[in-house]
Amino acid sequence: MLADALLLQLGYNATLVAIGAGLLGVASGVAGTFLFLRKRALVSDAISHATLPGVGLAFVVMVAMGGEGRSLFGLLLGAGVSAAIGLLCVHWLTRRTRLGEDAAIGAVLSVFFGFGVVMLTVIQTMNAGRQAGLEGFLLGSTAGMLRSDAILLAVSAAAVLALVLILRRPLALAAFDPGYAEATGWSLPRIDLAMMGIVLVVTVVGLKVVGLILIVALLIVPAVTARFWTERADHVVIIAGVVGGLSGYVGAAVSATAPALPTGPIVVLVGFGIFLFSLLFSPRRGVLASVLTHLRYQRRVHVRQGLLALAQGQPIYEALTQRLLTRAGLILPDGVPTAEGQAAASKALLDETRWAIVRGDQAYALAATRYDGLTPIETVLTPDQLFEIDAKISAPEVVA
Amino acid sequence: MGAEFVALSLPPMVIGVLVAIACALPGNFLLLRRQALIGDAISHVVLPGIVVAFLLTGLVATGPMLLGAAGAAVIAVVAIEAVRRLGRIESGAAMGVIFTAMFAGGVLLLEQSDTSNVHLDVEHALYGNLESLIWLDATGWASLLDPVALAGLPVELSRMVLALIVIALFLWLFWRPLALSTFDEDFARGLGIRTGPLGLALVIMSAIAAVAAFDAVGSIIVIAMFICPPAAARMMTNRLGHQVAWSCLFAALAAVLGYVLAGYGPLWIGAGASVSAAGMIATVSGIILGVAAVAGPHRTRNS
Amino acid sequence: MNLTLVTDHDTDQAVRAASPLAVRGMTVSYGQTPAIFSVDMTLRTGAMTAIVGPNGAGKSTLLKAALGVITPLAGLVTVFGGAMADMRDRIAYVPQRTSVDWDFPVRVIDVVMMGMYRRLGLLGRIRGRHRALARDCLDRVGMTHFAHRQIGQLSGGQQQRVFLARALAQQADIYVLDEPFAGVDAATEKAIVAVLQGLRDAGKTVLAVHHDLATVPDYFDDVVLLNTQVVAAGPVADTFTEENLNAAYGGRLTTARADPESVAG
Ligand SMILES: Nc1ncnc2c1ncn2[C@@H]1O[C@H](COP(=O)(O)OP(=O)(O)OP(=O)(O)O)[C@@H](O)[C@H]1O
Ligand SMILES: [Mg+2]
């Protein structure tokens, strides 16, 4: 069953939805990266919650105009309009009052959502409202979607993706190098506006798939995940697109296999799974790697400081230093250095003395930036340079 | 009128006010610490906590559910902090990752398990059911003095009173370190204040408010009350104590007005049934914030 | 300040016991490179000591680690020979301005009261004498008229004075200040220096990060030249030499200062 779903064997509608969700995932992964890099990830949360009153009002308006009120296009249009108003409110509160962006986001999302709930309860009292199915917008539901809606979803997802790809240059510029973007004549507020516009469109298209509470995950998780795997900006965008597409596609496909598997949560959990793996095991910034590196680093610092203290005949203050040196066979348990320890100590002191000269001399400014208290100097300087430096050490230190 | 009001409207209104104040109190410090959205995150993870508690114990009892929700809130906060520090991810993004994942997990568990015969669903978690918290034993204002009738008050009422007392006590006791570590963290640490655990304690207080309130009113009010009254209050004054007082006033006002508008508003305009009180309270708090943002004496940074 | 190499535990213990604030083997790292490495520092009672060094030298880091604001990778701190945790009442601290939330709803007078929070405890009543002390401290830095302003509505120099007043309200024995003269005008600088010298003359110990090399000899008794490590430390007359300065600033100083000869004067 699962294999069938992933291989698009579950029927025309499910296939359309899965492809649409995949495309939407790529688009939101890419768009979310720009948002994340501009440090405004949670603005999307305000946008998505602000869609609810629009959905409700659109339904009421369509019913009032004699329709059935369930046209997906109409509902999404309403969602887009009220989301835009919500976005404007966030913008206005941040610019015109002393509130920070986080407070503005929280205020807008809760108030708009609250008003949306009021609208939903109004609709429930209407005759047409009993089976409106608007709750599907909260958590996303693609089960039993109409053919026309599935087509609308797939087409608009493709359109959003195209839009993101067309605008990727200025977006990338604004995200990675705002200063340069301004200097080369781009207007940052405009680019930001375009970015928010794209996020808004992604949100609205994603409403029916992921739902308004969870759509924010589709924008944030891929970007955050990608950040673990690369330091290069353009690669972040690509990886985020892949992660987003994968979560959207796999999520929608899995959800099509059984009725009790709502689309939104599955999509989010697939993405979260990839994130969790990255958080733990990424070789650069992963938790495991960081912890190991930090412990190793701390040990190296202690050994080095201990050796310097030995070389200068100073006492060793910390028990950890003492333990590490003893374990490395550099000192005896009573604190007396072994022959090996003495050699290492004088080497460390010589290193430090040479470094001191390098760091005090403008001529070695570049090499001086490599100083970290641990790097042996001969890995940074040529033998000739070392010779020059040693000539400046007036009276070479001797270890007692 | 009196009897009906005391039995049907007074308890939900009082509970609404208690919830609003219990959330607004810690909300003041969250706002000042630029952690306003922590309230949002906490109220989302309450759902998975409750679902897990239900699945583990098999009962819809208050005790286990509150514990489950509180546990989920703490786990969420710790996870957000871990992602932020270990992954060097900005806190907004870290929040977004964690609370959506936990909420998604909760929804999935709920759908997968058989909860059809218990009152546990996503919509209830979001909007709560403030209107249903009625006091059947009340026969009029005199019932407020009648011990037998008082025993029939909704349990949510006493639970909220308790939560409010705990939160108020915490703020009263730790007012100085909280203010100091928010204003100037380095100085606070220099005085020996352990700002890390203190910040966590504040978040746990917020979680207590969210969890206690959640069952009665759902998470929308909770998020709105964490943010809107304190934000409006910040624009009314430049003194911390006054800000907290204003925020309590605004919170209570929003709760009462919102409840009244939800219950009687539709009748006034000739419509039939009432609308969601939780949603209306959130809406009113937004209107109060809007007014403060337009006319508050200290609404801008240099006022 | 004392840079004689101490060669055994007992002597060093005696030295540390006599010093208001002593740091040994302090290393702090924010990532994989140390911000400060193996720093030793011993303050002298009743002296004003400057920490001098280029941007990013680790000056703020050293202060924060010494006061326990951040956790060092390695290192030992003693205050009057005892542990920092037991001696916090004896230290007043003025952080670098960037650590403060200027938008916080608090008045100038309340900021000064914060200096008394340790003595007041969690719930201690604020009494008339506390208010009088706060007003007196504000008066000493010439800020009485601003007592009821919101802290963010002051100029940078005025804010700096208020923070000095808060440190005074701590009534400590050691005053640790991170760039107390950053962004203040000449008159304010003179006023702050006068207050600090008054403290010193009353037997208190002052440690300040300082950026203006020209005024070091006028203001301070001792100096620590820092650039990740301690380059030199001791009385200004012996330590504040061009050679040491060049070592600390990586030879970049000739462009920064017009007249290097006047430094050690
Ligand atoms: N919170 C931090 N995270 C990462 N790196 C930091 C942090 N604080 C300081 N650093 C780095 O540590 C080094 C020392 O910083 P520190 O603030 O102590 O310098 P400083 O001497 O006070 O400089 P300045 O004169 O500019 O105040 C710098 O290279 C800085 O980039
Ligand atoms: Mg500094």
Side-chain angles (χ1 to χ4, degrees), chain A residues 126-214:
Chain A
M126 297 167 43
N127 280 333
R130 301 245 177 252
Q131 328 83 7
L134 298 188
E135 287 76 20
F137 284 93
L138 290 179
L139 295 170
S141 77
T142 52
M145 222 181 196
L146 294 178
R147 169 82 34 109
S148 59
D149 289 351
I151 294 177
L152 177 66
L153 169 68
V155 170
S156 46
V160 179
L161 182 56
L163 191 65
V164 172
L165 294 182
I166 292 170
L167 288 177
R168 69 181 187 286
R169 282 272 151 65
L171 289 179
L173 209 54
F176 305 136
D177 198 350
Y180 181 74
E182 293 233 278
T184 47
W186 289 97
S187 143
L188 265 193
R190 274 222 199 130
I191 301 182
D192 269 346
L193 195 69
M195 177 174 79
M196 286 305 163
I198 290 179
V199 170
L200 198 148
V201 178
V202 168
T203 308
V204 169
V205 175
L207 275 190
K208 194 67 185 158
V209 183
V210 190
L212 63 88
I213 299 178
L214 292 175

Side-chain angles (χ1 to χ4, degrees), chain B residues 9 151 192:
Chain B
S9 294

Side-chain angles (χ1 to χ4, degrees), chain C residues 59-61 96 178-179 209 211:
Chain C
K59 304 180 294 293
S60 303
T61 303
Q96 207 165 351
D178 201 341
E179 302 202 17
V209 172
H211 264 305

Side-chain angles (χ1 to χ4, degrees), chain B residues 32 34 172-174 176-177 179-180 182-184 186-187 189-192 234 238-240 243 301 303, chain C residues 69 88 93 99-101 103-107 114 117-118 120-124 126 150 153 163 166 170:
Chain B
L32 293 171
R34 313 263 184 291
W172 177 65
L173 198 58
F174 291 103
R176 283 173 188 161
L180 192 49
T182 308
F183 172 57
D184 187 349
D186 282 358
F187 182 76
R189 294 178 65 103
L191 286 191
R234 179 66 191 88
N238 265 332
R239 294 181 63 179
L240 183 58
Q243 178 190 323
R301 271 179 206 285
S303 61
Chain C
V69 173
R88 288 207 185 274
Y93 175 39
S99 83
V100 176
D101 172 14
D103 205 31
F104 195 81
V106 64
R107 296 174 307 168
M114 286 176 177
Y117 275 6
R118 250 190 97 80
L120 283 167
L122 289 180
L123 298 174
I126 295 176
Q150 200 264 129
Q153 292 168 0
F163 278 69
R166 179 175 70 178
Q170 287 184 269

Side-chain angles (χ1 to χ4, degrees), chain B residues 1-196:
Chain B
M1 171 67 202
E4 198 176 297
F5 177 81
V6 173
L8 301 182
S9 294
L10 189 61
M13 214 185 264
V14 172
I15 291 175
V17 170
L18 292 175
V19 167
I21 294 178
C23 292
L25 279 177
N28 279 290
F29 286 95
L30 293 181
L31 177 89
L32 293 171
R33 293 170 162 242
R34 313 263 184 291
Q35 290 184 329
L37 289 167
I38 280 277
D40 182 26
I42 290 176
S43 44
H44 277 92
V45 304
V46 163
L47 176 74
I50 288 185
V51 175
V52 169
F54 169 72
L55 292 180
L56 288 180
T57 61
L59 11 129
V60 193
T62 306
M65 290 206 169
L66 288 185
L67 274 183
V74 172
I75 290 175
V77 168
V78 172
I80 289 169
E81 201 52 23
V83 169
R84 194 177 71 77
R85 295 234 181 117
L86 297 173
R88 277 161 285 160
I89 302 287
E90 168 238 343
S91 72
M95 249 182 246
V97 171
I98 296 299
F99 84 72
T100 51
M102 289 179 72
F103 189 78
V107 172
L108 197 62
L109 280 178
L110 198 57
E111 297 282 334
Q112 290 286 301
S113 52
D114 178 29
T115 49
S116 46
N117 55 343
V118 297
H119 196 53
L120 197 64
D121 59 60
V122 174
E123 271 124 56
H124 180 72
L126 290 173
Y127 331 142
N129 202 356
L130 188 56
E131 297 86 341
S132 69
L133 303 176
I134 49 180
W135 184 19
L136 289 176
D137 305 77
T139 53
W141 289 104
S143 303
L144 286 177
L145 301 172
D146 174 7
V148 184
L150 282 175
L153 275 170
V155 284
E156 284 82 359
L157 184 65
S158 44
R159 196 190 305 155
M160 262 341 287
V161 170
L162 193 67
L164 183 57
I165 290 176
V166 169
I167 292 166
L169 267 181
F170 170 81
L171 288 188
W172 177 65
L173 198 58
F174 291 103
W175 182 271
R176 283 173 188 161
L178 274 173
L180 192 49
S181 66
T182 308
F183 172 57
D184 187 349
E185 180 166 10
D186 282 358
F187 182 76
R189 294 178 65 103
L191 286 191
I193 295 171
R194 290 156 49 98
T195 55

Side-chain angles (χ1 to χ4, degrees), chain A residues 127-378:
Chain A
N127 280 333
R130 301 245 177 252
Q131 328 83 7
L134 298 188
E135 287 76 20
F137 284 93
L138 290 179
L139 295 170
S141 77
T142 52
M145 222 181 196
L146 294 178
R147 169 82 34 109
S148 59
D149 289 351
I151 294 177
L152 177 66
L153 169 68
V155 170
S156 46
V160 179
L161 182 56
L163 191 65
V164 172
L165 294 182
I166 292 170
L167 288 177
R168 69 181 187 286
R169 282 272 151 65
L171 289 179
L173 209 54
F176 305 136
D177 198 350
Y180 181 74
E182 293 233 278
T184 47
W186 289 97
S187 143
L188 265 193
R190 274 222 199 130
I191 301 182
D192 269 346
L193 195 69
M195 177 174 79
M196 286 305 163
I198 290 179
V199 170
L200 198 148
V201 178
V202 168
T203 308
V204 169
V205 175
L207 275 190
K208 194 67 185 158
V209 183
V210 190
L212 63 88
I213 299 178
L214 292 175
I215 183 84
V216 55
L218 206 51
L219 284 156
I220 298 178
V221 174
V224 173
T225 306
R227 198 65 194 78
F228 282 98
W229 295 100
T230 174
E231 302 289 324
R232 279 192 49 186
D234 44 345
H235 290 180
V236 177
V237 178
I238 295 170
I239 298 177
V242 172
V243 173
L246 215 60
S247 344
Y249 179 77
V250 175
V254 170
S255 136
T257 59
L261 295 173
T263 327
I266 303 276
V267 170
V268 171
L269 288 177
V270 171
F272 184 71
I274 308 179
F275 160 80
L276 207 58
F277 178 82
S278 312
L279 172 71
L280 294 177
F281 302 115
S282 137
R284 287 157 191 270
R285 310 171 122 228
V287 169
L288 219 58
S290 311
V291 170
L292 289 178
T293 325
H294 180 79
L295 287 179
R296 204 162 47 224
Y297 178 70
Q298 183 172 27
R299 282 200 296 270
R300 282 177 65 197
V301 166
H302 274 270
V303 168
R304 176 76 168 199
Q305 275 184 228
L307 287 176
L308 287 174
L310 284 184
Q312 290 163 316
Q314 285 173 313
I316 291 168
Y317 298 100
E318 286 193 77
L320 177 61
T321 318
Q322 197 113 27
R323 241 187 355 260
L324 288 169
L325 288 176
T326 319
R327 206 186 305 157
L330 297 172
I331 56 173
L332 299 172
D334 57 0
V336 178
T338 60
E340 202 185 329
Q342 279 191 358
S346 38
K347 166 76 174 67
L349 186 59
L350 178 62
D351 237 19
E352 275 305 311
T353 320
R354 286 165 161 180
W355 269 117
I357 292 190
V358 166
R359 282 159 31 88
D361 191 337
Q362 178 84 68
Y364 296 105
L366 190 65
T369 60
R370 295 277 309 273
Y371 176 78
D372 60 4
L374 299 171
T375 309
I377 196 162
E378 57 274 14

